[in-house]
Amino acid sequence: MWEVFGERGRLAEPLLWLASIAVGIVFCKSVYDNMESSFSQIKVYRALARRQQIEWSNRGFSTAHAIVVSTIAAYLLVYSDFFSDAAPYGPVVFRSTIFSQAVLGFSIGYFIADLSMIIWCYPDLGGWVYILHHGLSIASLALALHSGYAHIYLYLVLFSEFTTPFVNLRWYLSTAGQSGSNAYLLNGILLFLTWLIFRVLLFVYFFTHIYLHFDQVRQMHDAGFYFLFIAPPLLALMNLVWFRKISLGVVKAFKKKQK
């Protein structure tokens, strides 16, 4: 079923990398433009400041990317046998296909597009934490794309994008003046639960998998090996910091609702 690239993850063609990155950038630009044109006639959107309108559309392609990559990650990690230890595709840390590389390239395109907007509108779309997050993400994806190594770990991280639509919906509701609504409270609860599962517990599994497969991990090239112990811990730390803020936000919403 899977055309695996070599014993240790053969490099995909550079044309594939560039094409998939370009598709990711064009996808983001298309969603952004469609968001602007679709919402331009809506009263709530027109009442927003230009900065908020930009963020509204920016969060649109963020949500679209999250839905695409988390769905694909769920398929590869949960429904298929591609990353199963029992599957006869070679060491799991070195498994790579044309499809898995193309999706990573697509995500690089998204992060490039989003990072460009963050820098262009700095600090309106996010401060240095977002720049650090996106920089680490681009570097991690690029290393995996170039080497063919550690795709399972990149897809575990992409799986955590399942939380992004809830993050963006919270912002939409708040911006639209619905922070006291039942929808806002329900979304906050779902955000708390999904963040706990996909941004906290999933990272526990992430590091446990590295520990159990360390005999394979230590055979990676030096850049990938050391980056695996730099980027994921930093991302996990940021996830915990944001989880604390989300938890406090849910508590605040409950108290506000009871008044």
Side-chain angles (χ1 to χ4, degrees):
M1 178 180 178
W2 301 102
E3 181 186 349
V4 180
F5 279 136
E7 180 182 354
R8 297 281 299 275
R10 196 179 68 217
L11 301 183
E13 291 292 332
L15 182 60
L16 170 67
W17 306 343
L18 295 175
S20 58
I21 292 171
V23 167
I25 294 173
V26 171
F27 172 83
C28 293
K29 180 65 167 61
S30 298
V31 174
Y32 182 90
D33 290 343
N34 285 329
M35 288 287 289
E36 281 205 318
S37 61
S38 299
F39 284 92
S40 60
Q41 303 305 316
I42 297 178
K43 183 178 180 180
V44 172
Y45 180 84
R46 293 202 313 268
L48 299 176
R50 180 54 184 162
R51 180 194 66 78
Q52 290 177 310
Q53 291 178 347
I54 291 174
E55 184 167 0
W56 186 290
S57 301
N58 173 268
R59 287 179 181 270
F61 73 71
S62 168
T63 299
H65 165 264
I67 292 172
V68 171
V69 297
S70 63
T71 300
I72 293 173
Y75 169 73
L76 290 176
L77 293 166
V78 180
Y79 297 105
S80 79
D81 66 344
F82 183 57
F83 290 123
S84 170
D85 284 320
Y89 307 130
V92 68
V93 173
F94 303 121
R95 292 179 191 173
S96 170
T97 70
I98 292 175
F99 178 69
S100 69
Q101 298 221 15
V103 175
L104 294 186
F106 173 81
S107 280
I108 290 176
Y110 157 72
F111 281 110
I112 289 174
D114 200 36
L115 180 60
S116 299
M117 289 201 66
I118 290 173
I119 294 174
W120 176 48
C121 300
Y122 188 87
D124 291 338
L125 296 182
W128 67 270
V129 173
Y130 287 89
I131 293 176
L132 175 62
H133 175 273
H134 282 38
L136 289 172
S137 298
I138 292 171
S140 300
L141 289 163
L143 273 174
L145 183 63
H146 180 267
S147 67
Y149 296 171
H151 281 210
I152 184 173
Y153 300 125
L154 270 298
Y155 277 99
L156 283 170
V157 174
L158 290 178
F159 198 16
S160 69
E161 287 292 312
F162 187 86
T163 63
T164 299
F166 299 103
V167 174
N168 290 335
L169 181 56
R170 183 185 186 186
W171 183 89
Y172 285 132
L173 290 170
S174 177
T175 303
Q178 298 297 311
S179 58
S181 66
N182 290 329
Y184 185 85
L185 179 59
L186 177 59
N187 181 73
I189 294 171
L190 292 174
L191 175 57
F192 171 84
L193 292 174
T194 55
W195 198 279
L196 175 63
I197 294 170
F198 292 97
R199 298 276 184 171
V200 178
L201 298 180
L202 186 64
F203 270 75
V204 173
Y205 173 80
F206 181 104
F207 294 117
T208 300
H209 191 281
I210 290 177
Y211 173 77
L212 295 176
H213 296 79
F214 193 71
D215 58 324
Q216 297 177 32
V217 171
R218 66 184 179 184
Q219 296 178 53
M220 293 170 55
H221 54 71
D222 289 345
F225 177 82
Y226 290 114
F227 208 81
L228 192 60
F229 291 94
I230 295 175
L234 286 175
L235 290 175
L237 179 61
M238 284 188 278
N239 286 340
L240 289 174
V241 171
W242 284 324
F243 183 61
R244 179 178 179 275
K245 293 182 179 180
I246 291 168
S247 302
L248 294 175
V250 172
V251 172
K252 182 179 179 181
F254 264 114
K255 290 181 177 178
K256 186 176 182 180
K257 198 67 180 177
Q258 291 173 351
K259 290 182 179 181

